[in-house]
Amino acid sequence: MNVHKKNLDLDAIVKADITHHFHPFTDHKAFRAAGGPRVITHGDGVWIWDAKGNKILDGMSGLWCVNIGYGRKELAEVAYQQMLDLPYYNTFFKTTTAPATELAAKISSVLPKQFQTIFFTNSGSEGNDTIVRFVRHYWKLMGKPYRQHIIGRKRGYHGSTWVAANLGGMIGMHEQGGDQLPGFHHIQQPYWYDFGGDKTPEEFGLEAAQELEKKILELGPDNVAAFIGEPIQGAAGVLIPPSTYWPEISRICKKYGVLLISDEVICGFGRTGNWFGFETFGYEPDIVNMAKGLSSGYLPIGAIAFSDKLIEPFFDKGGEFYHGMTYAGHPVAAAVALKNVEIMQSEKMIERVAELGPYFNQALASLNDHPIVGETRSVGLIGAIELSSNKAKRSRFNDSGRVGTMCRNHCFDVNLVMRACWDTMVLAPPFCITREEIDELVKRARVALDKTYADVKAEME
Ligand SMILES: *Cc1c(COP(=O)(O)O)cnc(C)c1O
């Protein structure tokens, strides 16, 4: 079992946390009112423990990242050994370390063959910032400096730096931290449940993709640099696009010479049952952004694959690309990521996701008889449960997000981590989950849903 800190002074940690720790994505008033944080102490497989001794089923792999599961000693061992050998050296100025280069080659080997070249970052947000600078510079090198506009989707999530938040379509994020930057645009997300009306998902998927063509024509095809999308919009509520959507997006991008960026920070490294989401949905991007699953969250690291045709002008024309992070290709993070990918391969973990996918889908579908469940959906090991006030009409509860938060809180009471994106409950468990654990997850989710339904009924009385 895992070694963890004994005699932890929980009260002192909670008190220090409230006083000294300003948390990300947190309502600070509500946080204090709730008495501060839950303190997580250790993990094993799909399970995490808090400082009160609760054993919790982590249906979210942390933040969609601990794909391999908790407690893998091999990853700790390579980190330890690499720190002893060489804790840090940079990759600027014609220098490298073996783990960085070996990881670049490994990532390239699991991508389609036109992706020979990898750029390293420390996070998904940094990756998307890098991509924006790269594509705009690329178009300058290509003699088309006017190709500067980038199109994303509403409620897309591409990270939290200023540029990444602009790429994304989260209005709440746009409203904080200063004016919107120029050159970022958002089209409607392919969300059949909310917007599909009476159309079939396939008809709706085509229509949603054609929004891209409209936007390109509105901006002028020669002014558009790129389109960015997550294969499945994760933070928006696991929006799984209809099968018609991505092939049409891909066709439109090709038609107008617009670069296609696949933000694979969640879907990459197996989440959908293939190495990458673009394989599952049938398209080939020009640029691939990766982070979370790359190291299963054991250390922070991100990577970007640029297709060879994009890299060529950098080799041909020369001149420095003034961009890079101190920790790009950090040797310890790279060694851990490399081991993570090797284990994914040797233990056939991605095949496992593909095999478990239909079971997970059926298990979620068993919740469809619940009075407040409007729809369940999943691909591989990523899924969602829509909360609805009227199942047949796909109606929403008032005050979007309120009932979702109630349900999330009930999940904690039954020792299940299931996240709420507004009133959509989302799941992305570690790949090592067993069928029995999937059953247990769904059993706990049903209890949380029952409690949520009881709250909603009480409100109406
Ligand atoms: C999490 C996420 C990001 C941001 O990654 P960070 O490592 O948090 O900066 C970017 N894109 C997608 C699709 C994500 O889910």
Side-chain angles (χ1 to χ4, degrees):
M1 248 331 278
N2 297 273
V3 187
H4 60 279
K5 229 171 159 180
K6 302 262 158 51
N7 308 321
L8 179 135
D9 186 344
L10 181 57
D11 290 343
I13 289 188
V14 168
K15 193 157 166 275
D17 195 75
I18 291 172
T19 312
H20 298 297
H21 189 179
F22 197 66
H23 287 257
F25 281 105
T26 292
D27 174 337
H28 297 279
K29 186 174 177 192
F31 175 70
R32 286 195 176 186
R38 181 179 302 105
V39 180
I40 304 301
T41 54
H42 60 290
D44 187 37
V46 299
W47 301 93
I48 52 175
W49 281 259
D50 69 14
K52 291 179 175 157
N54 291 308
K55 183 184 176 189
I56 303 163
L57 178 50
D58 184 5
M60 278 303 295
S61 306
L63 278 178
W64 330 82
C65 55
V66 188
N67 293 353
I68 200 170
Y70 296 91
R72 292 297 303 237
K73 281 209 179 65
E74 304 93 318
L75 300 192
E77 281 158 7
V78 295
Y80 177 76
Q81 193 54 51
Q82 183 59 42
M83 278 199 200
L84 291 178
D85 290 347
L86 182 70
Y88 174 76
Y89 202 75
N90 60 278
T91 53
F92 294 15
F93 318 133
K94 301 179 188 152
T95 308
T96 194
T97 63
T101 301
E102 283 167 7
L103 180 61
K106 175 61 87 179
I107 295 172
S108 172
S109 78
V110 298
L111 280 160
K113 63 176 183 331
Q114 69 272 29
F115 293 104
Q116 290 297 312
T117 321
I118 305 298
F119 185 94
F120 286 114
T121 65
N122 305 293
S123 69
S125 304
E126 281 182 9
N128 285 322
D129 265 54
T130 300
I131 287 168
V132 170
R133 300 200 62 214
F134 178 97
V135 298
R136 288 180 172 169
H137 184 56
Y138 166 81
W139 283 119
K140 281 186 188 160
L141 288 179
M142 296 300 285
K144 296 187 174 167
Y146 32 82
R147 279 207 187 249
Q148 294 288 294
H149 290 272
I150 303 179
I151 303 168
R153 275 96 52 89
K154 292 179 181 157
R155 288 203 179 170
Y157 186 77
H158 300 297
S160 211
T161 57
W162 197 0
V163 165
N166 272 268
L167 271 180
M170 296 289 187
I171 289 169
M173 295 179 78
H174 293 169
E175 285 168 349
Q176 296 173 350
D179 291 341
Q180 275 289 90
L181 296 167
F184 295 95
H185 309 270
H186 306 92
I187 58 172
Q188 190 185 75
Q189 65 275 46
Y191 193 9
W192 177 82
Y193 186 81
D194 264 9
F195 303 120
D198 297 332
K199 287 165 207 141
T200 65
E202 289 71 28
E203 284 164 357
F204 171 73
L206 267 185
E207 263 186 43
Q210 283 153 6
E211 295 279 312
L212 175 61
E213 187 154 26
K214 284 188 208 145
K215 183 57 85 179
I216 291 173
L217 293 173
E218 180 193 315
L219 294 167
D222 259 355
N223 299 323
V224 182
F227 171 77
I228 184 167
E230 306 154 75
I232 293 172
Q233 283 179 249
V238 182
L239 315 188
I240 300 171
S243 62
T244 47
Y245 181 78
W246 274 112
E248 181 68 0
I249 288 280
S250 171
R251 184 190 69 77
I252 294 167
C253 286
K254 282 204 181 87
K255 178 171 174 193
Y256 296 103
V258 167
L259 300 178
L260 176 49
I261 306 163
S262 199
D263 186 344
E264 298 272 351
V265 170
I266 290 176
C267 292
F269 298 93
R271 180 54 67 191
T272 65
N274 288 298
W275 280 95
F276 294 93
F278 62 76
E279 298 167 274
T280 302
F281 290 99
Y283 63 100
E284 285 222 347
D286 300 294
I287 300 174
V288 184
N289 191 30
M290 301 161 261
K292 298 184 173 122
L294 170 57
S295 63
S296 285
Y298 275 62
L299 279 176
I301 186 166
I304 306 161
F306 294 108
S307 74
D308 297 349
K309 80 168 189 215
L310 302 190
I311 292 293
E312 263 163 35
F314 286 77
F315 284 122
D316 288 353
K317 300 192 193 228
E320 188 168 337
F321 179 41
Y322 300 114
H323 184 84
M325 272 64 75
T326 301
Y327 298 133
H330 191 286
V332 182
V336 168
L338 183 60
K339 193 68 183 178
N340 176 61
V341 178
E342 284 171 1
I343 294 175
M344 292 274 152
Q345 290 178 316
S346 65
E347 296 185 9
K348 300 202 181 332
M349 293 195 87
I350 291 163
E351 291 84 338
R352 179 187 172 83
V353 175
E355 197 190 302
L356 280 175
Y359 189 84
F360 183 60
N361 189 277
Q362 283 303 304
L364 286 182
S366 74
L367 296 168
N368 271 317
D369 63 359
H370 196 279
I372 60 167
V373 172
E375 179 186 87
T376 62
R377 56 175 177 265
S378 71
V379 172
L381 285 176
I382 181 167
I385 302 166
E386 293 288 358
L387 304 184
S388 177
S389 59
N390 181 325
K391 293 160 66 93
K393 293 187 176 149
R394 311 206 298 260
S395 315
R396 293 293 185 182
F397 291 103
N398 308 334
D399 204 358
S400 176
R402 195 177 50 90
V403 176
T405 305
M406 278 158 45
C407 184
R408 186 191 63 193
N409 291 339
H410 286 309
C411 287
F412 279 122
D413 294 341
V414 296
N415 287 333
L416 168 68
V417 180
M418 175 159 71
R419 180 171 158 188
C421 302
W422 293 274
D423 291 334
T424 309
M425 307 309 297
V426 300
L427 289 162
F431 301 173
C432 59
I433 196 166
T434 62
R435 285 167 197 247
E436 294 70 39
E437 285 165 341
I438 290 174
D439 294 344
E440 182 61 30
L441 185 159
V442 169
K443 199 168 117 198
R444 292 183 190 200
R446 184 179 284 278
V447 177
L449 288 164
D450 286 344
K451 292 180 175 207
T452 308
Y453 182 42
D455 290 349
V456 172
K457 272 201 301 202
E459 274 181 0
M460 292 188 311
E461 270 154 22

